[in-house]
Amino acid sequence: MRPDYFSKNSECLWIENLELSEICEEVQTPFYIYSQASIEAAANSYLKNAGNTDLICYSVKANSNINLLKILVQLGMGFDVVSVGELKRALKAGATANKIVFSGVGKSAADLAFAAEQKIYSINIESHQEIELIKNLPNNPRISLRINPDMAANTHPYIETGKSDCKFGISETEALEIAKTYSPEEINLVGISAHIGSQITDVSLFLELAEKLKNLATHLKNLGHNIDHLDVGGGLAIDYQLEKQYDPAQLVKDLKSSITDYDLLMEPGRSIVAQSGAVVTSVITKKTNGQRDFLVVDVGMNDLMRPALYSARHAIEEIKNSDNASKEYEVVGPVCETADSFGAGHLLNADAGDQLIIYSTGAYGSSMGSNYNSRPKPAEILVSKDKYTVIRKAESFEDLIKLEEI
Ligand code: LLP
């Protein structure tokens, strides 16, 4: 069964009253398309069982378009940022500073000073040095210690973040040492955070993490620190095969039953926007090399790098289904790299000029895009009710070179 937030109209993307084929007549491919209704449904599934003082902070890195952030501001979400750029984006979207958390393994003195000046909800500290920098800042910023819980998330090695040999966070021992070294008068230590990785399918890992955070919180409180929240990091996985649906509402409910003495903070990114977005691309040409049939499309690894970087497989369909028999193709982009492939074995029936849709690309798609091969970034459009708006124009050649001194 397809997840709730899909409808069969435009196959999987929830854009009830619009036909993708009509949009394709007006917007040049490739483009990213997002569904407001789908984003709201996914966000509400986290918010549903969260209490008034809990914070669900959308992880801006998943998709940082300000128009999408605005939708989430309206729903009362907070934001998880990992750079001053993301922090400024969240503020520009109208987020209140006291709903923003700032993580990141390499925050500079200037980054920390800027965040402290904004009076954000929490700066998540990832090293002893950061404490030294924070200590001397005005405003006595609220901080949380991001611990590295040494837990395996059983996900792709590039997106495991919570094992002891990963660069993120500090060990529980170091967290305790910091809490002993600095008094509550010196640092405003109010939380503990952790993030064990992304694309996590196993709910029990979040509950195991919650236990660790609670235990450590008890020690920090005994040392006089006024811990008010526990941050369990990013959200649940999504199913790139478009078959299963994970349940954020149940996860929040389970976490709330476990974490009773503190506010709960979560930083979901992928599960809010991945299924709410797709890439629409045109077939440039069809060719056969050796035994393999290729569809060469106009979107490349620079626009969507998940397949090249993590061997990720995204479902692909034609926009106009026809009755002719489908055939297996490797769908490849135009970039001069063999890694510029969206995978072999896609059952499709398409010719040059036809459009395809690449699903589940709302998260870590456009936000990880680049201009490799001097390719301008594609447009992004947002469907809200029965109309769509361009929320980022397609880049032009002039945009590409505008900062080069010639
Ligand atoms: N919080 C922190 C501190 C994080 O590092 C991340 C993701 C999140 C929250 C959000 O996690 P999510 O809910 O999205 O799982 N580019 C990769 C994913 C990298 C995730 C990095 N950190 C991909 O395309 O799969």
Side-chain angles (χ1 to χ4, degrees):
M1 200 190 72
R2 291 249 152 104
D4 294 346
Y5 38 81
F6 294 142
S7 82
K8 193 69 190 170
N9 170 30
S10 297
E11 294 306 320
C12 295
L13 195 69
W14 191 359
I15 56 170
E16 235 90 347
N17 301 316
L18 283 177
E19 281 295 337
L20 263 183
S21 50
E22 283 168 24
I23 299 177
C24 289
E25 281 164 25
E26 294 165 21
V27 185
Q28 202 182 332
T29 63
F31 59 87
Y32 273 96
I33 178 168
Y34 308 111
S35 153
Q36 176 161 357
S38 174
I39 293 172
E40 287 172 347
N44 280 327
S45 64
Y46 280 95
L47 294 167
K48 186 175 164 199
N49 293 324
N52 284 341
T53 53
D54 298 325
L55 257 189
I56 305 295
C57 292
Y58 167 68
S59 194
V60 173
K61 65 178 83 66
N63 190 317
S64 51
N65 189 298
I66 291 173
N67 296 281
L68 302 191
L69 304 187
K70 276 184 169 181
I71 296 174
L72 300 171
V73 168
Q74 290 306 316
L75 297 179
M77 298 261 293
F79 294 90
D80 152 48
V81 301
V82 291
S83 67
V84 165
E86 286 189 353
L87 175 50
K88 287 182 176 171
R89 276 181 179 272
L91 293 171
K92 197 156 184 80
T96 43
N98 66 6
K99 286 189 174 181
I100 298 177
V101 294
F102 187 13
S103 304
V105 73
K107 300 191 266 332
S108 69
D111 294 343
L112 293 168
F114 182 79
E117 217 174 283
Q118 307 308 311
K119 301 201 174 87
I120 65 172
Y121 183 82
S122 170
I123 299 177
N124 295 350
I125 297 296
E126 302 213 23
S127 70
H128 201 124
Q129 288 77 352
E130 282 190 348
I131 294 275
E132 284 297 314
L133 292 168
I134 282 281
K135 213 176 64 175
N136 300 320
L137 290 173
N139 293 338
N140 201 13
R142 284 170 56 89
I143 62 168
S144 144
L145 296 178
R146 175 172 174 180
I147 60 148
N148 180 316
D150 196 17
M151 283 174 65
N154 306 324
T155 182
H156 189 285
Y158 289 7
I159 53 177
E160 287 266 4
T161 52
K163 291 203 281 199
S164 61
D165 55 1
C166 294
K167 66 180 177 180
F168 298 101
I170 55 175
S171 68
E172 290 173 62
T173 319
E174 196 178 344
L176 260 179
E177 270 162 24
I178 288 174
K180 281 181 194 155
T181 310
Y182 301 92
S183 71
E185 285 70 42
E186 285 174 293
I187 55 170
N188 191 8
L189 175 53
V190 291
I192 309 174
S193 58
H195 173 72
I196 56 174
S198 194
Q199 188 58 3
I200 297 170
T201 52
D202 181 357
V203 169
S204 71
L205 290 174
F206 286 98
L207 298 172
E208 196 184 316
L209 176 63
E211 286 305 314
K212 276 183 186 268
L213 299 187
K214 282 192 296 183
N215 286 338
L216 183 59
T218 308
H219 290 301
L220 301 196
K221 278 180 92 166
N222 290 341
L223 289 166
H225 296 285
N226 189 14
I227 303 300
D228 58 29
H229 72 278
L230 300 182
D231 174 352
V232 297
L236 277 170
I238 59 119
D239 180 17
Y240 285 93
Q241 307 313 306
L242 308 177
E243 279 155 10
K244 275 184 267 165
Q245 189 171 11
Y246 299 99
D247 189 354
Q250 187 61 44
L251 172 64
V252 172
K253 196 170 181 187
D254 292 347
L255 282 168
K256 291 285 296 166
S257 311
S258 161
I259 300 175
T260 47
D261 296 339
Y262 307 93
D263 290 331
L264 169 68
L265 202 147
M266 285 200 80
E267 306 169 356
R270 186 192 309 268
S271 45
I272 305 283
V273 286
Q275 306 292 40
S276 313
V279 167
V280 177
T281 180
S282 298
V283 176
I284 298 175
T285 187
K286 218 166 149 169
K287 63 185 282 190
T288 305
N289 275 358
Q291 299 299 307
R292 191 162 283 193
D293 294 309
F294 295 94
L295 289 177
V296 185
V297 293
D298 62 1
V299 70
M301 65 187 282
N302 66 299
D303 307 303
L304 173 62
M305 77 181 300
R306 302 194 70 260
L309 190 57
Y310 315 112
S311 304
R313 188 166 178 96
H314 291 250
I316 305 181
E317 287 178 351
E318 313 88 359
I319 283 185
K320 278 189 199 149
N321 284 322
S322 85
D323 295 335
N324 297 336
S326 299
K327 196 167 142 182
E328 283 195 359
Y329 289 99
E330 176 168 354
V331 178
V332 295
V335 170
C336 294
E337 299 252 2
T338 303
D340 184 24
S341 169
F342 301 104
H346 288 283
L347 257 189
L348 292 164
N349 170 26
D351 285 307
D354 289 348
Q355 279 89 35
L356 305 178
I357 177 162
I358 309 182
Y359 289 112
S360 318
T361 48
Y364 307 112
S366 63
S367 61
M368 291 174 73
S370 79
N371 293 117
Y372 185 43
N373 277 202
S374 281
R375 290 171 49 82
K377 287 190 188 168
E380 297 178 64
I381 70 171
L382 173 68
V383 175
S384 313
K385 300 208 172 75
D386 53 0
K387 65 176 178 51
Y388 73 85
T389 25
V390 176
I391 56 169
R392 190 174 200 271
K393 287 195 247 173
E395 287 177 351
S396 64
F397 173 70
E398 286 65 37
D399 293 327
L400 284 188
I401 60 163
K402 71 177 173 224
L403 299 178
E404 290 174 34
E405 306 281 357
I406 300 169

